[in-house]
Amino acid sequence: QVQLVESGGGLVQAGGSLRLSCAASGRSFSSYGMGWFRQAPGKEREFVAAISRNGRNTYYPDSVKGRFTISRDNAKNTVYLQMNSLKPEDTAVYYCAAASTNWGSVIADFGSWGQGTQVTVSS
């Protein structure tokens, strides 16, 4: 099992940027595919981004493609989510997650979750 701790959330104006970080501890970080999800009040948790174990492959839904970038530094046991051109509809709690497989894009793929970090985008 891997433990995950997110940071970097906050309040930003529409059009602004934030960079989320997720620090991992426990078993070998590089053996996990990593992902980011978000959950807005009253809505289901939704997939935001995923990255393969070696960082060479990434995947995004259309809602964030071109605005969000996921990356990882296996030497630092950290995965990042760079969020640009933020919109009010991006407001949510953002969760980091780890998958025992190389790849994942649905909640069921991920067995370890962080506690989440709040991102609020004002209009």
Side-chain angles (χ1 to χ4, degrees):
Q1 200 80 356
V2 63
Q3 290 75 48
L4 305 171
V5 178
E6 303 96 334
S7 61
L11 174 64
V12 64
Q13 289 187 334
S17 298
L18 279 176
R19 188 195 197 200
L20 306 183
S21 299
C22 173
S25 60
R27 289 182 58 191
S28 177
F29 177 69
S30 61
S31 69
Y32 292 92
M34 298 299 296
W36 287 94
F37 289 74
R38 67 186 181 187
Q39 189 167 18
K43 295 187 177 180
E44 294 186 350
R45 192 168 298 191
E46 64 172 348
F47 170 71
V48 173
I51 189 166
S52 59
R53 290 164 173 160
N54 61 13
R56 293 176 183 171
N57 301 100
T58 58
Y59 178 64
Y60 309 90
D62 288 343
S63 57
V64 305
K65 193 175 296 182
R67 300 189 298 121
F68 290 12
T69 302
I70 187 172
S71 61
R72 67 189 295 164
D73 186 337
N74 286 343
K76 295 183 177 180
N77 288 359
T78 302
V79 62
Y80 305 97
L81 184 68
Q82 178 66 44
M83 305 184 294
N84 298 328
S85 302
L86 283 162
K87 305 175 182 180
E89 51 263 42
D90 294 319
T91 296
V93 177
Y94 282 71
Y95 297 91
C96 172
S100 58
T101 56
N102 187 44
W103 194 247
S105 63
V106 297
I107 292 174
D109 292 335
F110 295 86
S112 299
W113 294 81
Q115 84 290 347
T117 185
Q118 176 71 46
V119 171
T120 303
V121 184
S122 63
S123 57

